[in-house]
């Protein structure tokens, strides 16, 4: 039976009057029995039957005391039945009998009823209406406690406290509970002393010993009584079996933290972290900082890393300390990323300043001088009063000494009014290196300017000699031989310089190209005598032999040519040709003939084939063997119709026919010259020969027509034509390309038969090219190639090959480069043709051809450093494409040993890519860091490198590093494609971070102020 109801019924029974009981009539006794039966049913909790019974009693309309009681108990039964009219029946009872003792008890019962249903607002309403005077002591305290709790449940803490305060100091069984709740209410109100008093009292009750420690610890913490937090909290934790032990441990850790006892704090914090996946950000920061201060950097990194990826003050501080922690673990790359994150945030300016300074320092230590310069420049500008300003300026200067951002370094030093010796040395270095960079990029005039600037401060003797040497090389490329000679000669003041022998080789070529062979000879000889280890030893041997030949030291020439052929098989065709010439001059025609025959038989694709064919026929011609001469010249004409020697071959063959009295054949050859080559130097001799042979066959009347044609093609005065041609050409040379186009077109229209027409067509084609009209440039260059009469035909081949390649027509480009290779007029064109073939076949994915031509370049002696580097790079790229990864890495390493240009940058990146694909992430990262250090001026590869760094971080689950790297790229890269790629990868990283966070961190506000 419900205890509350039993008490009510028992009270009722005790209150019934005894007097007159025995005097009841039989009817009264029967009615009383009915009332008693209803009470019995209520006592037995048969509320439905009880309600019916009381209603039947009331229907008797006796209007006695039992009827009043019956109304009350009927309401009680209705209440326990949860009937809707229960409350109205109690209200009716109270209204009808306001002074009845049970009127107040009705309020109490209604309060209990709603309290038990957790309808606390209704419970409060009735408890407050119940008069405590009409309740027993136990009922009064019960009502007060329940009233307090009803208020408490509705967070009406002030009223709850008032009720609990009336109960907590009594002997009522729930007094400890009242103390507990009162303590909580006072804690929430900030009345810590009263709360502490209440909670201490509650703690004495076994039921609340486990509940109050967290609250008491929190109070001590809020009062900043950290020693008490520690003493009480540690004792509670040691005792065990307490609720919210994690909260107590956290507060103890926080107290240690506030006292600066980071070791103890770290111990408690770490225990807390092990048991809680969801940790408030501020707490996580203090966990990280405590471990940071005690040297437990790994744990500090783990905590700071979680916070640093966010965007708030705490994240900025975490990122900064994360950077310091990484430095303490000697992980400068990760430290730089963390400092970068902190410096890009603007919440705390002092933290930003420190992060910016450290970012610059770490960048400097890692050799990322461009980044260091940018950071220190920003630091000096924004924080001119910072304590680290002096060190920042020192490191900025040091960065300039090591930078490859040469233009910015040069500008910075040139802005300095009185550069120190240290800066003068730096200026000599950076201008020299910028000069070599421009040279490699084929920007020759700016390169000379840089080399000359480098010579302003000749601090380093080796760099001084280098500047002279490379100035000579640059002038040589521009065919400014006199200037080149002067620059090379300046190197000879230091015979110990590494540039001394290369300068001897260079000046030898300069004299050679100005046909001062006697002056060239001692330089080539000195270079050769230095030994076979010299880079251009084989070529120097050939040039030395040429010089012996031109200075008429024929025997020495033959001997040196033989040495050259033995040293380099690729020059055997040239050697055979030259030996034939020399033997002929020595009067040893048989040996000459043998050399020419060997060349034509063994080297049918030689670039000297037409020369050998002509010289072989010429020997027969000079010996009077005209039939043999005719055969030789015919071979040249038929098999090498594009040769510049064809007009001479026609002339010699015509003379041979004439000497054999074969006048018709002679006449045909002379006419061929006059028809096809009316302005050629052979045309005048052809005219005379034609006249003689026509007269011999009595056809002299035909001569007049050819004479008139010759006169028309070769007018007596060509002064005006020459002036116009030179004027148009000077516009081209002066880079006035649009005017040059107009004047050259007018010239070609006015002088359609001019001997200068082929060269005019070349200059017109180049003017279109320089003006950016590639379509017209291609058209006219192709005309030059088809006509094959310009002295610039090989240059047109170069240009057409380049334009065809750039248009993506790689088969066509390969065809033109092959023509160029066959018709190259110098070693530069030959090298360029080989490189063009290499790149064309790479685009066509013809790996065998790529391997072949890269090998040709690497084995040859005529290729420049750039071509050699490119050959190594493409050999590696070919191996990479064929999945020969070890071979590819080997080639890329060889490239890096010599290439300091874009070839090296690409090799560095591709090697890192291979390591990444092999899962060698650490090796890949180290290679990429070197890319940033050595090739930071090549932004294309630098951008790709940063993206690959992020890929490595993602692969190794270093998501913070990946995120920070990608955010930096997305924010700072000037390349839209790079930004887009970074943003796409950033989405992947964020998704992975979300997947790792199975339980999202939520802020713990239980004990917040």
């Amino acid at each position: 039976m419900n205890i509350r109801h039993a008490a009510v019924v028992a009270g009722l029974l005790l209150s019934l009057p005894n007097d007159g009981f025995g005097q009841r009539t039989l009817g009264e006794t029967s009615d009383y029995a009915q009332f008693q039966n209803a009470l019995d049913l209520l006592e037995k909790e048969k509320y439905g039957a009880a309600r019916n019974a009381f209603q039947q009693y009331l229907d008797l309309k006796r209007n006695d005391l039992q009827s009043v009681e019956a109304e009350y108990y009927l309401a009680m039964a209705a209440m326990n039945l949860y009937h809707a009219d229960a409350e109205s029946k109690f209200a009716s009872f109270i209204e009808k009998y306001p002074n009845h003792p049970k009127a107040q008890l009705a309020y109490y019962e209604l309060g209990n009823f709603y309290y038990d249903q957790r309808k606390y607002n209704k419970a409060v309403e009735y408890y407050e209406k119940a008069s405590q005077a009409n309740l027993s002591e136990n009922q009064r305290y019960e009502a007060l406690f329940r009233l307090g709790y009803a208020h408490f449940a509705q967070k009406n803490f002030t009223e709850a406290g008032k009720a609990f305060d009336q109960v907590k100091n009594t002997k009522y069984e729930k007094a400890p509970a009242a103390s507990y709740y009162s303590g909580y209410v006072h804690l929430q109100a900030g009345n810590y002393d009263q709360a502490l008093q209440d909670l201490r009292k509650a703690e004495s009750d076994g039921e609340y010993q486990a509940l109050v420690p967290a609250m008491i610890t929190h109070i001590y913490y809020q009062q900043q009584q950290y020693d008490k937090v520690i003493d009480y909290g540690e004792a509670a934790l040691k005792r065990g079996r307490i609720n919210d032990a994690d909260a107590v441990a956290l507060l103890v850790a926080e107290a240690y933290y506030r006292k600066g006892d980071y070791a103890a704090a770290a111990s408690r914090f770490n225990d807390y972290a092990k048991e809680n996946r969801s940790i408030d950000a501020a707490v996580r920061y203090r966990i990280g900082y405590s471990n940071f201060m005690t040297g437990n950097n790994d744990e500090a990194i783990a905590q700071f890393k979680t916070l640093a990826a966010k965007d708030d003050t705490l994240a900025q501080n975490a990122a900064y300390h994360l950077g310091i922690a990484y430095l303490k673990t000697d992980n400068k790359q990760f430290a730089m990323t963390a400092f970068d994150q902190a410096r890009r945030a603007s919440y705390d300016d002092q933290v930003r300043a420190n992060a910016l300074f450290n970012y610059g320092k770490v960048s400097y230590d890692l050799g990322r001088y461009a980044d260091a310069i940018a950071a220190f420049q920003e630091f000096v500008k924004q924080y001119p009063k910072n304590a680290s300003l002096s060190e920042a300026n020192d490191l900025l200067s040091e960065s300039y000494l090591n930078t490859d951002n040469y233009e910015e370094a040069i500008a910075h030093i040139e802005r300095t009014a009185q550069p120190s010796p240290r800066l003068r040395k730096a200026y000599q270095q950076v201008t020299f290196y910028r000069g070599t960079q421009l040279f490699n990029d084929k920007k020759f005039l700016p390169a000379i300017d840089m080399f000359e600037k480098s010579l302003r401060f000749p601090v380093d003797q080796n760099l001084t000699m280098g500047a002279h040497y490379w100035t000579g090389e640059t002038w040589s490329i521009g065919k400014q031989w006199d200037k080149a000679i002067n620059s090379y000669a300046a190197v000879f003041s230091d015979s110990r310089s590494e540039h001394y022998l290369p300068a001897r080789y260079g000046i030898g070529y300069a004299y050679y190209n100005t046909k001062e062979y006697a002056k060239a000879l001692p330089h080539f000889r000195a270079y050769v005598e230095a030994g076979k280890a010299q880079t251009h030893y084989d070529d120097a041997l050939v040039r030395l032999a040429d010089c012996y030949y031109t200075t008429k030291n024929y025997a020495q020439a033959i001997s040196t040519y033989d040495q050259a052929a033995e040293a380099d098989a690729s020059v055997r065709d040239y050697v055979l040709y030259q030996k034939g010439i020399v033997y002929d001059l020595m009067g040893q025609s048989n040996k000459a003939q043998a050399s020419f025959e060997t060349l034509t038989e063994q080297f049918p694709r030689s670039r000297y084939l037409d020369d050998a064919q002509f010289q072989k026929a010429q020997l027969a011609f000079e010996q009077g063997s005209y039939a043999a001469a005719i055969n030789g010249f015919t071979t040249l004409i038929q098999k090498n119709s594009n040769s510049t020697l064809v007009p001479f071959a026609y002339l010699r063959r015509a003379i041979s026919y004439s000497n054999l009295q074969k006048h018709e054949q002679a006449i045909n050859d002379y006419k061929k010259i006059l028809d096809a080559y009316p302005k050629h130097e052979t045309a005048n001799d052809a005219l005379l020969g034609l006249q003689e042979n026509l007269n011999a066959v009595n056809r002299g009347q035909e001569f007049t027509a050819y004479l008139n044609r010759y006169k028309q093609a070769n007018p007596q005065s060509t002064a005006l034509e020459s002036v116009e041609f030179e004027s148009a050409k000077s516009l081209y040379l002066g880079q006035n390309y649009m005017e040059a186009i107009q004047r050259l077109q007018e010239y070609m229209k006015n002088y359609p038969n001019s001997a200068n027409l082929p060269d005019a067509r070349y200059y017109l084609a180049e003017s279109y090219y320089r003006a950016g009209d590639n379509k017209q440039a291609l058209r006219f260059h192709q005309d030059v190639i088809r006509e094959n009469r310009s002295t610039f035909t090989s240059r047109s081949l170069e240009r057409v090959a380049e334009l065809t390649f750039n248009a993506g027509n790689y088969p066509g480009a390969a065809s033109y480069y092959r023509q160029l290779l066959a018709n190259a007029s110098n070693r530069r064109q030959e090298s360029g043709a080989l490189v063009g073939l290499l790149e064309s076949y790479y685009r066509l994915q013809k790996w065998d051809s790529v391997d072949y031509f890269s090998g040709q370049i690497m084995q040859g002696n005529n290729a420049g450093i750039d071509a050699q580097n490119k050959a190594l790079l493409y050999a590696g790229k070919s191996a990479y494409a064929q999945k020969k990864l070890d071979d590819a890495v080997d080639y890329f390493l060889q490239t890096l040993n010599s290439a300091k240009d874009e070839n090296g940058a690409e090799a560095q990146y591709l090697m890192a890519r291979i390591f990444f694909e092999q899962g060698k992430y650490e090796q890949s990262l180290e290679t990429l860091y070197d890319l940033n250090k050595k090739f930071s001026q090549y932004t294309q590869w630098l951008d790709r490198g940063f993206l690959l760094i992020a890929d490595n971080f993602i692969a190794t689950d270093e998501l913070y590093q990946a995120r920070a790297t990608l955010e930096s790229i997305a924010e700072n890269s000037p390349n839209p494609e790079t930004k887009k790629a970074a943003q796409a990868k950033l989405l992947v990283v964020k998704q992975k971070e979300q997947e790792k966070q199975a339980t999202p961190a939520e802020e713990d506000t239980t004990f917040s102020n």
Side-chain angles (χ1 to χ4, degrees), residues 650-669:
Y650 275 120
L651 181 63
R652 295 293 192 278
R653 190 172 72 172
I655 295 171
S656 297
Y657 279 132
S658 182
N659 289 335
L660 292 175
Q661 304 298 310
K662 294 184 178 182
H663 301 297
E664 284 297 331
Q665 290 91 330
I667 289 169
N668 289 337
D669 280 351

Side-chain angles (χ1 to χ4, degrees), residues 1 4-14 39-40 42-43 73:
M1 178 179 180
R4 183 175 73 251
H5 297 163
V8 171
V9 174
L12 169 65
L13 295 175
L14 291 172
L39 281 177
D40 289 342
L42 182 64
E43 185 178 5
Y73 289 123

Side-chain angles (χ1 to χ4, degrees), residues 570 607-608 798 817 820-822 824-837 856-857 862-863:
S570 68
R607 56 189 290 193
Y608 306 106
E798 280 186 279
Y817 280 124
L820 176 61
L821 185 62
S825 59
N826 54 55
R827 58 175 179 160
R828 183 189 62 79
Q829 288 184 344
E830 184 177 341
S831 175
L834 288 170
V835 170
L837 285 164
Q856 288 291 299
I857 295 170
N862 292 332

Side-chain angles (χ1 to χ4, degrees), residues 534 549 612 967:
Q534 301 307 310
Y549 152 54
E967 286 177 342

